[in-house]
Structures are given as structure tokens and as C-alpha cells.
């Protein structure tokens, strides 16, 4: 498959939740799950890799659907609030860079909880409010590939008539 390894779990969890939300009969759910499983197998994933993820995803979907809409909304709001307490560090990916766990550890030691100094989330800004940052997320951007370098991706940036001028 063309998906990076980390995408597989999210793909399975999302599709299995979708199947459970759209199908009301257990037979239909099981049929759709079999088709989905078979498609992933045909794309080269092994049963040994898929089965544990499928089991967790089915359990997760059932648990989610048993949860009341109010609880779901509260969890969604809590997650949104938590995301406000996060800062992103965007870096270009390079295979020789240290692992992100090293960057995370350095951030925790020198920014979030520096030894002998005030933790970052206890420092006050000019308005006497604490800085609401508890987490660092490192987001890597991939290097350009051959497709990026040799194919035109944005037609409107090139000189000449607009593409729509040739239509009819």
C-alpha cells in the first residue's frame, strides 16, 4: 500500500467506526468488515498485522456508540481545550536528525520544567496570565519528491491563457 505505516491504524479505526454508524444490522456490519479486511489484505497487509487493529477498532466503535451524545460532546470540548495548550514545532524531515523523543526530552528539561527555574506554564505574560502551554508536538514535513520537482502542480502560476479559456 502507498500509506505510511502510521496511517493504517487511523484508517482502520475511522472506517470501522463509519461502518458501525452507517449499518444498523449486525449481518451488514460483519459483511462490510469482511470486505474492508479483504481489501486491505489484497493491498499487501498481513492478517497478523490487521487482526489486532481490527479488534481494537471494533471495541472502540462499540464503546463510542454506547456513549451518550452529551458525553461525546464533553470529550470533544475537553480535547479542543487540551489542543489549545499545545505548541507545534515544524521541522523539515531528515533521516540523520535525532529522533523526536530527544527533542521532546530537551523541551521538557529546558522549557517546560527547567531545573531551578519557573516551569513554562507558570510563567506570566504581560497581562499577568500564565502561559497556557503544556505540550510540544513536533510536525515533520517531508522532503520534495520527484513528483514535486518534475510535474506542474499549480497550473494557474504559469504564464499563458487560463486553462478554462480552452473550454468551449
Amino acid at each position: 500500500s502507498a500509506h505510511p505505516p502510521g496511517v493504517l491504524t487511523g484508517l482502520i479505526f475511522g472506517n470501522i467506526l463509519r461502518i458501525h454508524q452507517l449499518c444498523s444490522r449486525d449481518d451488514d456490519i460483519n459483511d462490510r468488515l469482511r470486505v474492508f479486511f479483504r481489501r486491505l489484505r489484497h493491498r499487501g497487509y498481513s492478517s497478523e498485522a490487521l487482526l489486532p487493529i481490527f479488534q481494537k477498532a471494533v471495541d472502540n466503535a462499540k464503546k463510542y456508540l454506547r456513549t451518550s451524545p452529551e458525553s461525546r460532546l464533553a470529550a470533544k470540548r475537553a480535547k479542543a481545550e487540551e489542543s489549545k495548550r499545545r505548541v507545534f514545532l515544524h521541522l523539515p524531515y531528515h533521516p540523520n536528525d535525532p529522533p523526536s523523543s530527544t527533542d521532546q526530552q530537551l523541551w521538557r528539561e529546558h522549557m517546560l520544567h527547567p531545573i531551578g527555574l519557573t516551569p513554562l506554564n507558570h510563567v506570566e505574560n504581560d497581562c499577568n496570565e500564565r502561559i497556557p502551554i503544556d505540550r510540544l508536538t513536533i510536525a515533520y514535513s517531508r522532503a520534495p519528491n520527484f513528483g514535486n520537482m518534475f510535474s506542474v502542480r499549480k497550473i494557474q502560476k504559469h504564464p499563458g491563457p487560463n486553462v478554462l479559456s480552452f473550454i468551449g
Side-chain angles (χ1 to χ4, degrees):
S1 174
H3 294 102
V7 172
L8 179 63
T9 301
L11 176 77
I12 292 172
F13 270 66
N15 274 315
I16 287 180
L17 177 59
R18 182 175 168 271
I19 289 167
H20 277 83
Q21 288 173 319
L22 293 176
C23 299
S24 56
R25 293 181 34 228
D26 287 342
D27 289 346
D28 292 336
I29 291 172
N30 291 332
D31 288 344
R32 296 286 91 210
L33 290 175
R34 271 192 285 281
V35 168
F36 181 43
F37 185 85
R38 200 173 314 123
R39 286 181 179 161
L40 290 173
R41 289 282 297 122
H42 288 305
R43 285 182 167 78
Y45 294 105
S46 70
S47 295
E48 294 79 24
L50 293 174
L51 285 172
I53 302 171
F54 262 69
Q55 186 58 56
K56 286 180 186 175
V58 168
D59 294 344
N60 182 69
K62 289 178 179 179
K63 180 182 174 188
Y64 178 81
L65 293 173
R66 281 193 308 266
T67 307
S68 70
E70 295 81 18
S71 296
R72 289 184 210 158
L73 184 58
K76 188 175 183 179
R77 285 183 179 147
K79 193 170 186 175
E81 190 59 37
E82 181 184 311
S83 73
K84 291 178 185 175
R85 301 186 63 82
R86 173 186 325 215
V87 65
F88 286 86
L89 175 61
H90 293 267
L91 298 172
Y93 174 76
H94 191 281
N96 294 333
D97 283 345
S100 64
S101 59
T102 301
D103 295 332
Q104 290 280 359
Q105 181 180 355
L106 289 169
W107 185 78
R108 282 190 299 275
E109 290 175 2
H110 298 284
M111 295 293 294
L112 189 59
H113 300 290
I115 297 171
L117 298 172
T118 306
L120 178 64
N121 55 8
H122 287 85
V123 173
E124 292 182 352
N125 63 17
D126 294 342
C127 300
N128 296 324
E129 296 175 0
R130 288 186 175 183
I131 297 175
I133 297 175
D134 296 324
R135 282 185 74 181
L136 171 69
T137 297
I138 300 174
Y140 290 104
S141 57
R142 66 170 175 76
N145 59 28
F146 285 125
N148 298 126
M149 293 187 281
F150 297 116
S151 66
V152 176
R153 299 291 171 124
K154 301 209 182 224
I155 296 173
Q156 68 273 14
K157 287 188 174 181
H158 295 279
N162 187 313
V163 174
L164 295 176
S165 68
F166 294 102
I167 300 174

